[in-house]
Amino acid sequence: MRAALACLLVALAVVAAAAEEKRIILPADNDRAKLAPGPHSDLAQVQCQFCHSTDYIAMQPRGSAKQWEAVVTKMIKVFGAPTSEADAKAIIEYLTSAYGPEK
């Protein structure tokens, strides 16, 4: 009985140590890029952060509506972003407006 209890305690200690080693510390929200202002920026800010930080948007090269549509479509169809068709259209319009080709 004592041997079983000792084994159990050792196993619990190993599990606790392993769990402790796998901590992930995310950056604070204020460390992430704030998207450029514009119509639907709030929607993009929320929807895009379901899967990744806004840093990924802010650091992208500027793109045309066709390029942003391809990116948003990939996020939905390939990566499973939970975004409705109407929201996707609004996000594409926003990204094209805020991060489209320079004028």
Side-chain angles (χ1 to χ4, degrees):
M1 180 65 126
R2 285 185 181 177
L5 183 57
C7 286
L8 178 61
L9 290 174
V10 169
L12 288 174
V14 168
V15 169
E20 206 170 303
E21 291 175 17
K22 294 182 182 185
R23 287 188 188 170
I24 297 173
I25 299 172
L26 298 174
D29 284 340
N30 57 359
D31 288 345
R32 295 184 185 144
K34 180 78 172 137
L35 295 180
H40 308 297
S41 64
D42 54 341
L43 176 65
Q45 187 83 32
V46 170
Q47 289 287 310
C48 297
Q49 286 189 110
F50 281 134
C51 302
H52 57 76
S53 81
T54 51
D55 293 335
Y56 287 106
I57 298 168
M59 69 181 189
Q60 293 297 313
R62 293 173 124 5
S64 66
K66 186 176 181 178
Q67 290 168 310
W68 282 118
E69 181 178 7
V71 169
V72 172
T73 300
K74 178 177 71 173
M75 295 297 150
I76 294 167
K77 293 187 176 185
V78 176
F79 297 113
T83 305
S84 71
E85 191 173 321
D87 285 348
K89 183 178 178 189
I91 291 168
I92 293 165
E93 288 174 10
Y94 163 72
L95 292 171
T96 302
S97 166
Y99 298 97
E102 294 205 37
K103 296 171 186 170

